Amino acid sequence: MKNETNVYHITYYTADKSASIFFWGCNFSCKGCIRKLDVLDYHLKDTDKKSKKVVFLDFEEIIKRVIPLEPKRVVFRGWEPTLDPDLPKLAASFHDEFKTWNYLTTNGFTIPSLNDVDEIEISIKAYSDEIHRDYTGKSNKRVLDNFINVYEMDVKLRAETILIPNYIDSQEIELIARFISRVDPAIPFRIDGYVPIPGTPWRPPTQEEMDGAVDAARKYLKNVSRLDGSVSFKGEVLKIV
């Protein structure tokens, strides 16, 4: 009997020789989730997005697809990778087969075994619980607690959030940054510009608003970066599955 996973999509980034493994499903209901816009890798060419049929891969098929790539880095992303009980097993297999640097992106609500995860990026959607509940449908208490707990583990920790003008704005970003600084001001923090999702009332941030959010975070943190239209993309992204 095949061991079907939540994995439905794999891409390869030539710039850093990394394989991105996409997992279906989430425990949040984020109003501005990029997956509502596109279930495939956002960086793929439009010609690679003609078919968006979702087919779940079994464990052996994932390994078979990734082996020829000989990746140096594997990124577990999606929706939410931590919902898949096979995630730790996949991470261990990539470590054993390729000695990869395993990078997990997560909303932080659930933390699996990190024995074979080298780096984890936790997305803190909002510091204010009221805003977090409104945006995701869940309280942020577990996320903030887990963020502190992961910091105590032997894994590199990063943080991320999305700037949404007049909602999760620079003031909210500053609150997130202040929280992170209380854990460790050296933790890297990335601010992503919001990509409009149909049915939501928000617009993308301006460059001035991005600058303001970065400046607000830098009051507390040593390493703040941004991801928006002003950042150039290097190399190619290839669709594997």
Side-chain angles (χ1 to χ4, degrees):
M1 184 176 180
K2 290 186 176 182
N3 180 18
E4 191 176 271
T5 69
N6 293 350
V7 175
Y8 69 99
H9 182 40
I10 300 173
T11 56
Y12 180 72
Y13 287 62
T14 61
D16 62 355
K17 297 182 178 180
S18 68
S20 283
I21 314 296
F22 287 76
F23 293 76
W24 190 268
C26 194
N27 42 17
F28 282 5
S29 301
C30 296
K31 294 178 178 178
C33 179
I34 194 70
R35 297 292 154 237
K36 294 180 180 179
L37 188 65
D38 198 338
V39 298
L40 300 184
D41 194 319
Y42 186 73
H43 297 101
L44 282 173
K45 298 176 182 177
D46 289 339
T47 53
D48 291 325
K49 296 183 179 182
K50 291 181 180 179
S51 175
K52 297 186 180 181
K53 182 180 179 181
V54 173
V55 178
F56 296 106
L57 305 178
D58 61 65
F59 189 91
E60 291 72 20
E61 180 69 14
I62 297 168
I63 301 301
K64 178 182 175 182
R65 295 282 189 166
V66 173
I67 282 178
L69 305 175
E70 297 183 352
K72 294 184 179 297
R73 186 169 178 258
V74 172
V75 182
F76 301 106
R77 58 200 305 182
W79 305 62
E80 179 52 47
T82 63
L83 296 182
D84 194 328
D86 280 319
L87 174 61
K89 183 181 174 183
L90 276 171
S93 294
F94 291 134
H95 258 173
D96 294 342
E97 184 74 30
F98 307 110
K99 309 302 180 188
T100 53
W101 182 264
N102 290 339
Y103 190 106
L104 171 63
T105 65
T106 176
N107 59 33
F109 195 74
T110 300
I111 302 298
S113 168
L114 300 178
N115 290 340
D116 287 282
V117 171
D118 302 289
E119 189 167 1
I120 181 171
E121 175 187 288
I122 295 179
S123 181
I124 303 176
K125 310 299 183 183
Y127 179 77
S128 303
D129 193 59
E130 182 179 358
I131 296 176
H132 196 277
R133 285 178 180 273
D134 181 69
Y135 184 69
T136 72
K138 297 283 181 67
S139 169
N140 66 359
K141 185 180 185 305
R142 276 179 59 174
V143 176
L144 300 182
D145 288 345
N146 282 338
F147 190 89
I148 296 171
N149 293 336
V150 169
Y151 178 75
E152 303 296 332
M153 301 178 188
D154 186 23
V155 58
K156 187 174 181 180
L157 175 62
R158 290 177 172 271
E160 178 269 352
T161 197
I162 301 174
L163 174 64
I164 305 178
N166 303 316
Y167 186 46
I168 302 173
D169 53 19
S170 59
Q171 291 180 325
E172 188 66 24
I173 300 292
E174 185 169 342
L175 292 176
I176 296 171
R178 186 173 65 179
F179 162 75
I180 296 169
S181 72
R182 290 170 179 168
V183 180
D184 187 339
I187 294 173
F189 180 44
R190 191 185 77 242
I191 303 170
D192 296 349
Y194 173 67
V195 176
I197 304 300
T200 62
W202 309 301
R203 60 171 174 81
T206 64
Q207 291 302 310
E208 290 76 16
E209 288 168 331
M210 288 296 294
D211 291 341
V214 170
D215 289 342
R218 284 178 175 163
K219 294 178 184 178
Y220 302 92
L221 301 172
K222 299 176 182 179
N223 186 352
V224 180
S225 60
R226 61 195 285 171
L227 182 61
D228 59 10
S230 67
V231 180
S232 60
F233 188 79
K234 297 180 181 179
E236 290 185 278
V237 182
L238 308 177
K239 184 179 179 181
I240 307 304
V241 180

